Amino acid sequence: MDSWFTYQPLVKEIKEQGLDVIGMVKNLKQRYLINGQRVSLKELYRLAKPTGGKKSGLRSIHTTQANGVPIKVVFVRNRNK
């Protein structure tokens, strides 16, 4: 999916139809639930455990969107920047 179209209501609708979603998200005002706390994408990155080597920039974390949809967020390094 294009990052423009990956927003929480659309992800919820697709998941309700029994499909999985792979897409990009922008660092906007969206919040994610971790241990009952609402956190931003930046805070979610800090909480995510690194996977791979130290320089890989790869992290992942299981969380829940503010609308109740369980998701896995995977952070990857942007090699263009």
Side-chain angles (χ1 to χ4, degrees):
M1 295 181 72
D2 188 315
S3 61
W4 179 260
F5 298 108
T6 306
Y7 60 101
Q8 292 185 11
L10 179 60
V11 172
K12 182 177 183 177
E13 182 69 31
I14 292 170
K15 291 295 289 178
E16 287 175 351
Q17 294 181 21
L19 300 171
D20 290 324
V21 178
I22 297 174
M24 292 173 52
V25 295
K26 291 184 180 182
N27 190 15
L28 301 173
K29 294 181 180 181
Q30 299 144 312
R31 295 292 181 247
Y32 303 89
L33 300 174
I34 295 286
N35 299 324
Q37 293 184 349
R38 295 170 51 105
V39 298
S40 68
L41 191 61
K42 194 175 200 178
E43 293 166 324
L44 194 63
Y45 178 80
R46 288 188 198 119
L47 295 170
K49 296 201 185 310
T51 58
K54 187 175 182 179
K55 292 185 178 181
S56 74
L58 184 65
R59 293 174 181 237
S60 68
I61 190 167
H62 289 272
T63 185
T64 305
Q65 291 181 327
N67 62 4
V69 176
I71 59 171
K72 179 179 182 179
V73 178
V74 177
F75 297 93
V76 295
R77 189 175 97 204
N78 183 345
R79 295 186 185 266
N80 295 325
K81 294 183 180 181

